[in-house]
Amino acid sequence: MTRIVLFILFGFTPIMAQGPDAHWATAAKNGFGTSNTLDSKVWFTLADGVMTEVFYPTVDMPKVRSLQFLIITGGQTENEADDTVHRLELPNPASLTFRQINRAKSGAYTITKTYVTDPRRSSVLIRVDFNTARNAQLYIKYVPVGDKSVLVSNCGLPTLQRRQCTLALGFGETIAKARATARTSLARGFGAVAREYELGWQKYVAKLPRVQKHQQQFTMAAMVLKGLEDKTYRGAVIASPSTPWGGGQKPDQPPVSGYHAVWARDLYHVATAFDAMGDRATAHRLLDYLFRVQQKLDGSFPQNSWVDGRPIGNGVQMDQIALPLVLAYQLGSNDRSTWLKHIKPAADFIVQNGPRTDQDRWEEKSGYSPSSLAAQIAGLVCAAEIAKAHLDNVSVKKYLDTADRWAQNVEKWTVTRPDGASGYYLRITANDNPNDGAKMEINSSTRVVDERKIVDAGFLELVRLGIKKPRDPLIVESLRLIDQLIKVKTPVGEAWYRYNHDAYGETPDGGNYDGRNGVGRLWALLTGERGEYELAVGDIASARKRLDALAGFANDGLMIPEQVWDRGQIGKGTGSATPLAWSMAQFIRLAMSIERGRNVETPGVVWERYGSRG
């Protein structure tokens, strides 16, 4: 049994438990909060009317599984998650402050909880309002992980009618330090802590650009991305503060990362969002993390890592090696040390090991991927531009010659032509022959499909990164095909599957993904990518519709998910991962591109070499 010290000043009786299955709560979060300070190394998530994970001392280390109230009234024992109707409020649109209002299905009571963290120390404060006309007793069901937390309360009698009180959940290296942290925060009072917490976020929000539409969603996306950056390992932004479908390790097993990990690809998208907002300091910090913490000695990057840089996955994904080079060019990070220690080794790795990738951007298949090829070509052109500044003409020629050759062969490697004339881009080809009918096993299933029958919208990366014109005939024809095969209309707008035959999603009956019998659902960020394509075409009205759809996919806490349902609650977030940093970043980047009338991320040097020709 995990050792926990629970300190109650006046009232509530604690109940501590490991939980029935000891896995994590739902990944469909509608609240995520942390202070906009470095002194408070604690993050919380909310879902289903209760507090779920709390992370400490880094954003990849969950130390709490859940905290909720049990209510005994009328001889019945109820819990907030199952026996109340939940509502979420955002008391301050310029702060990561969240309020849960849980009304008993019986109508017997209402519990209102407001969440902030102490900007000066690692503690979460919860203002609790309990309202009932009956005699009732409240108990705290608290499921911790490890022995670094202490819960303190200033609540009164266990039997309450109308009562307001505060819970403080403090963390520390020892139980004594955690207790001191919680008691100090509680002594300051919820009002004082909340005012300081909200002022910190308001100062950040005041510097954000204004957009014509969806300002509150834009602001929330920016705050969430800022909050997802670790406060010890600066520049490390995790993919999501959730474990997809609540899976994960049991207490006696070593920790698994879930989505509490750093992917170079996701970090690239987050950095471009910060850059688009004008927060170049944060964007530079993310690039610095990529180069100085994540990058390997051979110039490559791990599949993903803990925030301290320890690798987790060992898959080689060529786009994750190339995109940091594009980011370095965009941010003007071209000093000699960065060139010699980071940019040149990565570019040399691409030349030596590309264009084939061990894993595509969906981390599933090896081969020739249009999206991965786009990243590699753009990365080499950007690296060549930086090499020019350092008079390394040998590298300039090597990178450009390689990029040109690959750009000329993209269609040969990835476009199938069933009738010998017209054709379309495939999701990925196992070898450099897209017409040989190679069979491909679909990940997380037993299905085997002819690779010529599997398509996705990854080829749009060729447009976004400046390699192909948006009206290129093969691009247009491939768009027509994917719209027939993988587009779904939802009540808030159109959405797309990753690819046809995808199996990464809930089971056919809607149950949690089991790794064997899944059905791919719609990915919110793909709607944003389509909007960027339409902006490249010059169709700003359609791009705005895509932004509307992205905002429509968000839940009541303005969290944009990874996946949304394609049936039933169509357009609503699934249990995969919410919020997803990539989705939030995609919203910001599309919004800023619309404001500026162009795709802010397209590297000019690549467009000038390829896209602007002819």
Side-chain angles (χ1 to χ4, degrees):
M1 181 67 180
T2 303
R3 181 171 65 91
I4 296 292
V5 175
L6 194 60
F7 184 79
I8 302 296
L9 288 181
F10 297 108
F12 289 6
T13 303
I15 296 178
M16 293 172 290
Q18 293 296 344
D21 58 6
H23 283 213
W24 301 101
T26 175
K29 313 301 181 186
N30 62 354
F32 165 76
T34 188
S35 170
N36 187 28
T37 64
L38 300 183
D39 294 326
S40 181
K41 298 182 189 296
V42 63
W43 298 256
F44 65 82
T45 63
L46 307 175
D48 293 337
V50 304
M51 185 169 76
T52 48
E53 296 93 337
V54 181
F55 300 84
Y56 166 87
T58 53
V59 72
D60 58 351
M61 286 291 112
K63 296 299 182 184
V64 173
R65 293 181 186 272
S66 65
L67 188 156
Q68 67 169 308
F69 288 114
L70 302 184
I71 308 97
I72 299 178
T73 178
Q76 299 292 322
T77 299
E78 299 181 349
N79 68 75
E80 290 186 277
D82 299 324
D83 299 310
T84 69
V85 177
H86 320 306
R87 181 162 60 90
L88 187 78
E89 291 182 348
L90 306 174
N92 186 334
S95 173
L96 291 177
T97 306
F98 296 88
R99 178 174 296 141
Q100 293 174 325
I101 302 173
N102 295 331
R103 185 177 183 275
K105 293 176 180 178
S106 65
Y109 56 86
T110 300
I111 300 174
T112 302
K113 299 172 294 184
T114 306
Y115 298 81
V116 298
T117 67
D118 190 336
R120 303 182 185 184
R121 52 191 59 83
S122 298
S123 59
V124 181
L125 267 64
I126 310 171
R127 167 66 61 83
V128 181
D129 291 271
F130 182 66
N131 186 9
T132 182
R134 305 179 184 178
N135 290 331
Q137 290 180 308
L138 294 184
Y139 295 83
I140 300 172
K141 183 177 182 181
Y142 176 51
V143 187
V145 179
D147 58 358
K148 303 298 185 184
S149 59
V150 171
L151 184 63
V152 175
S153 165
N154 68 358
C155 301
L157 299 174
T159 302
L160 306 173
Q161 287 189 331
R162 186 176 182 86
R163 182 76 61 176
Q164 184 180 85
C165 60
T166 300
L167 302 179
L169 179 59
F171 294 81
E173 297 175 356
T174 66
I175 290 298
K177 290 182 179 179
R179 179 185 294 114
T181 296
R183 295 181 73 171
T184 302
S185 293
L186 191 65
R188 286 189 67 204
F190 183 87
V193 171
R195 283 191 294 273
E196 185 176 344
Y197 175 89
E198 294 185 351
L199 181 61
W201 280 114
Q202 287 167 192
K203 288 181 177 178
Y204 176 73
V205 168
K207 299 177 183 178
L208 296 176
R210 306 296 297 177
V211 293
Q212 296 179 38
K213 197 174 182 183
H214 305 300
Q215 184 66 49
Q216 189 175 9
Q217 181 64 66
F218 184 92
T219 298
M220 179 60 75
M223 290 191 294
V224 167
L225 292 184
K226 190 77 169 177
L228 286 172
E229 182 184 7
D230 192 67
K231 300 180 183 183
T232 301
Y233 301 96
R234 305 297 287 143
V237 177
I238 62 172
S240 177
S242 63
T243 301
W245 295 283
Q249 82 280 7
K250 295 182 179 179
D252 59 347
Q253 296 176 329
V256 296
S257 64
Y259 277 13
H260 320 142
V262 184
W263 277 261
R265 174 177 44 255
D266 295 50
L267 206 61
Y268 164 83
H269 288 288
V270 172
T272 57
F274 279 118
D275 187 34
M277 291 188 291
D279 187 353
R280 279 217 151 186
T282 300
H284 274 285
R285 201 159 56 241
L286 270 58
L287 179 63
D288 188 66
Y289 174 87
L290 283 168
F291 281 155
R292 303 186 190 282
V293 179
Q294 268 202 337
Q295 192 174 25
K296 297 180 179 181
L297 292 177
D298 64 2
S300 68
F301 291 79
Q303 180 176 348
N304 56 358
S305 75
W306 300 101
V307 296
D308 63 8
R310 287 174 295 140
I312 300 174
N314 58 9
V316 178
Q317 300 174 13
M318 298 301 289
D319 64 332
Q320 294 206 121
I321 302 165
L323 290 173
L325 303 181
V326 178
L327 183 61
Y329 164 77
Q330 295 285 51
L331 296 179
S333 296
N334 58 3
D335 61 275
R336 188 155 185 82
S337 177
T338 300
W339 157 245
L340 290 175
K341 293 182 179 179
H342 304 290
I343 295 171
K344 190 176 187 302
D348 288 342
F349 186 95
I350 293 170
V351 171
Q352 294 163 11
N353 296 276
R356 196 176 189 277
T357 184
D358 285 351
Q359 291 182 348
D360 63 348
R361 71 169 177 165
W362 303 129
E363 304 193 297
E364 293 181 347
K365 292 300 177 185
S366 62
Y368 292 78
S369 155
S371 62
S372 180
L373 276 162
Q376 293 178 75
I377 294 165
L380 287 177
V381 173
C382 289
E385 191 70 10
I386 295 171
K388 287 181 186 177
H390 297 282
L391 306 179
D392 188 342
N393 294 326
V394 173
S395 292
V396 171
K397 185 176 189 307
K398 177 172 63 175
Y399 301 159
L400 291 180
D401 285 351
T402 304
D404 289 347
R405 185 170 68 254
W406 292 354
Q408 291 166 4
N409 282 284
V410 166
E411 295 175 13
K412 174 185 175 183
W413 293 331
T414 65
V415 172
T416 189
R417 301 180 185 274
D419 60 5
S422 62
Y424 56 89
Y425 285 96
L426 300 182
R427 175 202 163 197
I428 193 169
T429 58
N431 51 48
D432 59 2
N433 184 355
N435 298 301
D436 64 357
K439 298 299 186 288
M440 183 173 293
E441 183 176 348
I442 303 298
N443 272 44
S444 304
S445 78
T446 58
R447 280 173 285 165
V448 177
V449 181
D450 185 326
E451 68 181 13
R452 295 172 297 181
K453 304 296 183 181
I454 308 173
V455 296
D456 75 351
F459 60 87
L460 289 181
E461 296 288 271
L462 293 164
V463 175
R464 183 175 62 81
L465 290 173
I467 299 158
K468 293 287 186 180
K469 292 179 179 295
R471 296 191 187 277
D472 178 276
L474 274 171
I475 297 289
V476 173
E477 179 62 20
S478 298
L479 279 175
R480 185 191 64 78
L481 182 62
I482 68 162
D483 283 353
Q484 290 178 358
L485 296 177
I486 62 174
K487 183 176 76 173
V488 174
K489 292 184 178 180
T490 80
V492 297
E494 294 172 338
W496 285 262
Y497 297 107
R498 293 195 304 176
Y499 54 90
N500 53 337
H501 306 292
D502 189 10
Y504 183 58
E506 279 83 355
T507 58
D509 62 1
N512 285 344
Y513 172 70
D514 59 11
R516 302 179 306 277
N517 188 36
V519 177
R521 308 298 175 180
L522 306 169
W523 278 59
L525 64 90
L526 296 178
T527 295
E529 290 187 353
R530 184 59 171 264
E532 288 180 317
Y533 168 78
E534 287 161 340
L535 198 58
V537 173
D539 187 356
I540 194 167
S542 293
R544 287 196 176 106
K545 290 180 181 178
R546 306 307 180 196
L547 190 70
D548 292 344
L550 271 177
F553 296 146
N555 59 30
D556 51 355
L558 303 183
M559 304 292 156
I560 304 177
E562 176 188 75
Q563 300 179 40
V564 299
W565 285 105
D566 54 347
R567 63 205 68 180
Q569 291 188 314
I570 187 168
K572 302 294 184 183
T574 73
S576 57
T578 305
L580 185 71
W582 188 353
S583 296
M584 301 293 254
Q586 180 65 71
F587 179 88
I588 289 172
R589 203 172 65 206
L590 179 57
M592 292 307 302
S593 293
I594 290 171
E595 292 295 315
R596 297 178 187 175
R598 61 178 178 84
N599 281 318
V600 297
E601 183 208 2
T602 302
V605 67
V606 181
W607 169 253
E608 290 166 7
R609 189 169 189 84
Y610 303 117
S612 65
R613 293 181 178 179

